[in-house]
Amino acid sequence: MERFPHLKFLQKVIGKPRLHGGGEPNPLSIQNKNNRQGHFGYLSGRTSQIKSDWEIQIGRREELDLAPLDADIIPIFLKINPDLVTYDFDLKQFGIEVISQEEEGYIIGASLDSFTSLNEKINRFLNEQHGGAKIADFWEIIDGNQWKPEHVLSDYLKSIWSEIIEDRVYKVEIGIAFDKPIGKAPDPNSRYYERSLQRYNEELVERDNRFFERQDEFEVFIGHYGRLTSDIISLEDSFCCEVEITGKGLKDLVFNYPFVFEVSETDEIIGVNNEIDEVGTIDLEVIAPDSASPEVGVIDSGIMEGHRFISSAIIDGNSKSYIDGDDSTADHVRNGGHGTRVAGAILYPYGITSIESPYQLPCFVRNLRVLDGENKLTHKLPAELMKIIVEDNEDCKIFNLSINSSVASRLKHMSSWAATIDTLINQKKVIFLISSGNLTKDDIRHYISQGKNYPNFLDESYCRIANPAQSSFAITVGSVNHMHFEDDDFESLGAEDEISAFSRVGTGIWGMIKPDVVEYGGGLVLSKTGNLVSNKESLSPELIRSTLSGGSAIGSDVVGTSFATPKVAYIAAQLLKLYPDEDISLLRALIVQGARLPNSFFENPTTQSVKHFGYGIPSLERVTNNTHQRVTFYNAEKIRAEEGHIYSLIIPEFLRSHLEEYDILIEVTLSYTAKVRRTRQKTKSYLSTWLDWTSSKVGELYEDFKDYVLKEIEESETVYDKDFRNGMAGWNWKIKSDSRGIVDGISRNNSTVQKDWTIIKSHELPNDISFAVRGHKGWDKSHEEVSYSLVVSIEVLNSNLEIYEAMRVENEIELET
């Protein structure tokens, strides 16, 4: 047991939250309603033209040697009143399946009945009949199919689209949409459970049949032009695969296949290659981990399992190669390996030469080889590989993934790789630690030669985090320098605790705060002539090396986010020891809670500092333990949409004394996971349910905050004084939930790990501080519970004032449940 363990909240109140929203009807919709004849003529004219063009195209497909398509399923691109495109939005009553939600209310859809249902509603709108009112919110229908490449293709494929050659074969990854998932199973305690269960099972079977039918139809379509080169991977609302297809087939797929929402090039996925053969040695007695220690899955290039500094951490029989035709689990990457170094950084996160002998290893590592001897991923579809690995290793709860695509992640849809990782994290309750990705020395040299100096070149879009680091639920890890270097010929790119020049940065997709944290992964130097970027031994982390191709057992000869990530995996393993039975969301929350931005950025964060460091550098001590001056409370719970949970902490009287003026740091972190839909964009549409947290105002009484946050408690309505509350001072949170905090343009609510902090004078502290976690509707109408963890820390800065015990005693009394 830690000397100052984290404490559980004792107070919790559950109720229905007061969620503010709504607004006035849109003027354009009102205009359409007032001009029924004109709007009717516009919409019916468009549907008639699109249907006519589609019938002509269907009739010519056979003579043009195009794959067969269903004449009744017509692609459509339309614009809906953006105010109505909510997270659970669909167009089923109009006979339209939503394929993808785009920006500003635009919808990629497919009419499943040749516009029959839509035209019926358009006629009802004209005649002011029931069922036609919503047609006023159909603002545009775009004719033709020339809109599709812009909305379906990746940036790279868009750039070469005009050069596609019909008889050439292209390798691409394809995303195909399907209907949204069915809600949760019925409640066994329900009065009508048997009947509801039968209906639910029938819906599941019917949906599965339609899902497999769409897959079969897609395979027939692709088979006309090429072949699938991977298995089909199914997600909640879509499936994906890699294919080889002719240019002719690719054009037909993009322009005419109704259910496609994304076509992208296949990524090159690599680890960090080494250039130096550094020599080092040490005499150290190594003791095996405690038998109850967790095992961290290292998804990488293999591990030199016989290495004397690693062998005690390997459990016989758990290693596996996922490379087709190669059962070896050894690390065959030249010049010291890659996976061996990653595994070593988990076991020796602070290096090895400074360790006192004997040294007990902190955890086990599981060797899951996926990279070949050239340090490349040869498996066709990374999403498929992640699913296989997690399902093969169900007793493994932590996975380190220090491999990435070689280019920046895309910003429209979550990639199949990242979305699959999100699904696995939520379903299997595992945690992924993923490197943010690396810029090459040639990349950096190019930017500098163009006059874009460090760190400004990191603002370039190419320097964004690499797939799958944008994963919503993974902990993404970047790298910072551990020291500054300068001699007659070279100077380091960045000082101590500044971003490593190679470390890809955020923000992530849809404004998520990424990377989540950073660690020391090394630094680079620039020659004073400005034409050479290199690494130096003193700027490189000390790592275990594979000796299969010669060289020493340890060395400081390579840098990368690959080697920062396992240092955070080490922290996750220590947390799993302490909290083996808690939800994985608590591990995510505590890692981020224990992180701080370096230098002056902690007190004065900037937009750039958050993009570079996320929430900062985690401290094992803060992550796992407290001090006399710091106390941490947490709770791991489940919540539904349209439900609120309130937690409150009492502040000891002596800490609130007006005779003293201590600086008090308050840190709050919320972490959660949910089901995801890959065809949707923006965090709140991607998630089945999304959460946020809010706090009482400074001096706001617990009862008043409770009545403000929860509009209903135990079926009793509450009221609050709006004007009085608006006049109260709020906490000076650094990031805030509305992009209007100190960190301009970044909202914590866009992320699934939401941390914020403030510093206040002790005499300004109220009697108690309350926090609310609120569930909001995403696309899941069934209100299924999602798991979350809330962590709150209170710390006295720059003082020896002891508060831990007083806070513990003051909050042991359960006031209300």
Side-chain angles (χ1 to χ4, degrees):
M1 177 64 70
E2 299 293 328
R3 185 181 177 193
F4 299 102
H6 302 327
L7 307 173
K8 278 206 169 187
F9 285 102
L10 287 180
Q11 292 190 78
K12 186 179 77 171
V13 177
I14 301 175
K16 192 170 184 179
R18 196 182 306 278
L19 304 175
H20 304 278
E24 298 296 321
N26 192 285
L28 183 53
S29 296
I30 295 175
Q31 179 182 321
N32 292 336
K33 191 174 293 186
N34 293 334
N35 181 25
R36 290 181 183 272
Q37 185 67 49
H39 194 52
F40 163 81
Y42 166 74
L43 294 181
S44 59
R46 285 296 169 93
T47 57
S48 177
Q49 183 63 54
I50 293 171
K51 181 176 180 180
S52 175
D53 291 346
W54 182 253
E55 289 173 345
I56 292 171
Q57 200 242 100
I58 288 291
R60 297 187 59 205
R61 291 186 70 81
E62 186 173 355
E63 67 179 86
L64 295 174
D65 191 27
L66 299 174
L69 288 174
D70 190 328
D72 290 330
I73 301 177
I74 306 175
I76 183 173
F77 189 47
L78 63 161
K79 186 175 185 179
I80 304 290
N81 177 356
D83 297 336
L84 300 184
V85 183
T86 54
Y87 315 125
D88 58 350
F89 173 80
D90 69 47
L91 294 172
K92 281 187 176 179
Q93 62 180 305
F94 303 97
I96 295 172
E97 181 177 326
V98 176
I99 306 305
S100 175
Q101 290 181 12
E102 305 292 290
E103 298 282 352
E104 300 176 346
Y106 283 102
I107 301 292
I108 298 176
S111 172
L112 305 181
D113 60 0
S114 194
F115 293 137
T116 299
S117 298
L118 178 58
N119 284 329
E120 178 191 349
K121 297 295 190 299
I122 293 172
N123 282 302
R124 286 179 175 272
F125 169 77
L126 174 66
N127 298 316
E128 299 187 46
Q129 295 175 323
H130 177 73
K134 289 185 179 180
I135 291 297
D137 293 305
F138 280 61
W139 289 359
E140 293 180 51
I141 297 178
I142 290 83
D143 57 9
N145 60 7
Q146 296 305 307
W147 54 267
K148 287 196 80 175
E150 176 65 26
H151 291 272
V152 170
L153 294 174
S154 68
D155 288 343
Y156 171 73
L157 289 181
K158 277 188 280 191
S159 72
I160 66 167
W161 188 243
S162 62
E163 304 165 13
I164 296 293
I165 300 170
E166 289 206 347
D167 59 357
R168 179 178 169 183
V169 174
Y170 295 85
K171 296 180 180 179
V172 295
E173 181 181 327
I174 300 171
I176 301 297
F178 188 66
D179 198 5
K180 72 178 183 180
I182 289 177
K184 66 179 180 179
D187 183 356
N189 299 317
S190 168
R191 179 180 176 184
Y192 305 105
Y193 174 66
E194 294 296 334
R195 187 190 313 166
S196 299
L197 181 63
Q198 180 180 353
R199 185 166 59 248
Y200 176 79
N201 288 332
E202 289 172 354
E203 289 175 355
L204 279 180
V205 170
E206 191 272 335
R207 185 183 190 276
D208 286 346
N209 288 338
R210 287 190 294 112
F211 197 81
F212 292 134
E213 181 181 345
R214 184 162 299 179
Q215 288 186 4
D216 292 342
E217 290 171 349
F218 171 73
E219 289 190 60
V220 170
F221 182 93
I222 295 299
H224 193 83
Y225 305 109
R227 67 187 185 95
L228 274 66
T229 56
S230 75
D231 288 343
I232 289 177
I233 294 298
S234 301
L235 295 167
E236 292 282 357
D237 67 338
S238 60
F239 59 86
C240 62
C241 63
E242 288 189 356
V243 305
E244 291 180 349
I245 189 170
T246 63
K248 179 179 180 179
L250 183 59
K251 289 180 179 179
D252 191 25
L253 172 78
V254 171
F255 281 123
N256 299 311
Y257 192 76
F259 305 116
V260 62
F261 70 91
E262 183 179 66
V263 181
S264 62
E265 68 278 12
T266 56
D267 288 338
E268 181 185 26
I269 298 163
I270 56 175
V272 175
N273 287 315
N274 178 36
E275 300 172 359
I276 306 170
D277 188 13
E278 177 65 32
V279 177
T281 185
I282 187 176
D283 186 22
L284 176 71
E285 180 186 352
V286 177
I287 301 173
D290 291 333
S291 58
S293 295
E295 192 175 8
V296 178
V298 180
I299 304 174
D300 217 285
S301 64
I303 299 173
M304 183 182 173
E305 297 185 6
H307 200 294
R308 65 190 183 95
F309 295 136
I310 293 178
S311 60
S312 300
I314 299 293
I315 298 176
D316 290 341
N318 284 353
S319 304
K320 186 169 182 180
S321 170
Y322 290 89
I323 301 174
D324 289 341
D326 186 352
D327 293 333
S328 172
T329 57
D331 188 354
H332 295 287
V333 174
R334 293 182 293 275
N335 295 331
H338 189 267
T340 302
R341 286 185 167 96
V342 170
I346 296 172
L347 301 174
Y348 304 89
Y350 309 116
I352 190 169
T353 55
S354 60
I355 293 175
E356 292 186 6
S357 186
Y359 174 73
Q360 185 172 31
L361 298 174
C363 61
F364 295 97
V365 290
R366 182 171 298 191
N367 184 2
L368 306 172
R369 184 182 178 220
V370 299
L371 300 181
D372 64 12
E374 300 301 317
N375 217 9
K376 293 183 178 180
L377 185 71
T378 58
H379 197 282
K380 292 294 188 297
L381 188 63
E384 176 188 27
L385 182 58
M386 297 301 104
K387 190 171 186 291
I388 293 171
I389 288 175
V390 173
E391 291 177 351
D392 275 358
N393 299 273
E394 289 192 341
D395 56 334
C396 196
K397 293 298 180 185
I398 303 174
F399 294 92
N400 188 103
L401 187 66
S402 285
I403 57 179
N404 305 86
S405 167
S406 59
V407 296
S409 59
R410 292 180 282 274
L411 294 177
K412 186 176 180 181
H413 291 286
M414 191 70 76
S415 72
S416 63
W417 191 2
T420 299
I421 289 172
D422 283 342
T423 300
L424 292 168
I425 291 171
N426 182 59
Q427 288 182 350
K428 303 296 184 180
K429 302 304 178 185
V430 297
I431 186 168
F432 268 75
L433 293 304
I434 303 178
S435 54
S436 67
N438 303 291
L439 301 172
T440 68
K441 295 170 188 175
D442 286 340
D443 293 332
I444 298 168
R445 187 182 302 114
H446 167 75
Y447 283 122
I448 292 174
S449 70
Q450 297 296 310
K452 298 171 183 175
N453 294 323
Y454 169 92
N456 296 330
F457 61 74
L458 293 172
D459 294 334
E460 298 293 315
S461 60
Y462 177 79
C463 301
R464 190 173 57 247
I465 59 173
N467 190 24
Q470 74 274 30
S471 160
S472 180
F473 304 144
I475 293 290
T476 301
V477 185
S479 175
V480 289
N481 298 322
H482 66 275
M483 66 173 290
H484 178 262
F485 175 91
E486 185 174 9
D487 62 13
D488 292 341
D489 301 313
F490 292 92
E491 184 173 7
S492 57
L493 288 163
E496 179 181 351
D497 287 341
E498 291 186 342
I499 189 73
S500 301
F502 54 78
S503 185
R504 290 182 174 273
V505 301
T507 56
I509 191 170
W510 313 319
M512 290 187 191
I513 294 176
K514 292 286 179 177
D516 296 270
V517 294
V518 289
E519 254 287 1
Y520 297 107
L524 295 173
V525 294
L526 175 67
S527 65
K528 292 187 174 178
T529 60
N531 58 7
L532 179 61
V533 176
S534 183
N535 54 310
K536 294 281 186 180
E537 178 182 355
S538 60
L539 292 181
S540 304
E542 187 177 69
L543 300 167
I544 306 299
R545 300 177 77 258
S546 169
T547 60
L548 292 181
S549 59
S552 63
I554 61 173
S556 300
D557 54 358
V558 65
V559 297
T561 58
S562 291
F563 314 116
T565 305
K567 295 182 179 183
V568 184
Y570 157 76
I571 293 175
Q574 305 319 297
L575 280 172
L576 191 57
K577 287 182 185 179
L578 294 174
Y579 303 103
D581 301 320
E582 294 282 15
D583 189 86
I584 212 73
S585 64
L586 180 62
L587 273 64
R588 298 172 66 223
L590 287 172
I591 289 170
V592 168
Q593 181 78 348
R596 289 188 185 170
L597 291 170
N599 304 318
S600 62
F601 293 127
F602 182 64
E603 292 191 22
N604 298 290
T606 63
T607 303
Q608 186 184 70
S609 69
V610 173
K611 288 182 176 180
H612 287 184
F613 308 115
Y615 293 111
I617 306 169
S619 154
L620 178 64
E621 178 67 16
R622 286 195 301 269
V623 166
T624 60
N625 201 8
N626 297 283
T627 67
H628 284 299
Q629 288 73 42
R630 174 184 170 90
V631 59
T632 299
F633 293 85
Y634 78 93
N635 217 1
E637 271 286 355
K638 292 185 177 181
I639 194 171
R640 291 182 171 88
E642 299 187 324
E643 185 174 275
H645 294 176
I646 294 181
Y647 301 93
S648 188
L649 292 176
I650 301 170
I651 307 300
E653 185 176 355
F654 80 90
L655 188 55
R656 297 182 275 113
S657 171
H658 286 269
L659 300 177
E660 304 293 347
E661 195 174 77
Y662 302 108
D663 286 331
I664 305 299
L665 168 67
I666 304 172
E667 296 173 287
V668 184
T669 301
L670 171 69
S671 166
Y672 68 97
T673 66
K675 292 180 180 178
V676 302
R677 292 189 72 181
R678 188 172 168 241
T679 59
R680 300 304 185 249
Q681 298 182 53
K682 308 299 182 184
T683 305
K684 296 169 188 177
S685 293
Y686 179 64
L687 302 175
S688 58
T689 299
W690 63 276
L691 309 184
D692 70 351
W693 65 266
T694 188
S695 66
S696 57
K697 292 200 172 187
V698 179
E700 184 174 24
L701 297 177
Y702 167 71
E703 290 295 334
D704 292 340
F705 176 68
K706 184 174 67 173
D707 288 347
Y708 160 70
V709 170
L710 301 180
K711 69 178 180 181
E712 187 178 299
I713 303 174
E714 296 181 351
E715 300 182 357
S716 297
E717 293 288 332
T718 66
V719 295
Y720 77 104
D721 189 329
K722 180 178 180 181
D723 293 334
F724 178 75
R725 190 172 199 275
N726 287 341
M728 300 183 74
W731 301 92
N732 188 27
W733 297 114
K734 303 294 185 181
I735 297 178
K736 296 192 178 181
S737 59
D738 56 5
S739 304
R740 293 184 293 181
I742 296 173
V743 184
D744 184 49
I746 293 180
S747 166
R748 66 179 186 239
N749 283 8
N750 288 334
S751 303
T752 63
V753 178
Q754 302 171 8
K755 179 179 179 178
D756 221 327
W757 64 101
T758 187
I759 299 174
I760 189 172
K761 294 298 182 182
S762 57
H763 62 76
E764 296 175 345
L765 286 168
N767 295 345
D768 52 60
I769 307 175
S770 300
F771 304 90
V773 177
R774 302 179 295 193
H776 302 260
K777 288 192 296 185
W779 50 260
D780 180 19
K781 292 183 179 179
S782 68
H783 288 201
E784 188 170 350
E785 288 183 323
V786 301
S787 299
Y788 76 87
S789 291
L790 178 70
V791 181
V792 177
S793 299
I794 298 178
E795 180 176 353
V796 183
L797 299 177
N798 306 317
S799 171
N800 292 323
L801 181 69
E802 297 183 4
I803 66 167
Y804 181 91
E805 188 63 17
M807 286 289 297
R808 184 188 68 80
V809 171
E810 198 74 55
N811 288 278
E812 276 186 337
I813 303 171
E814 189 168 356
L815 296 183
E816 186 171 356
T817 59

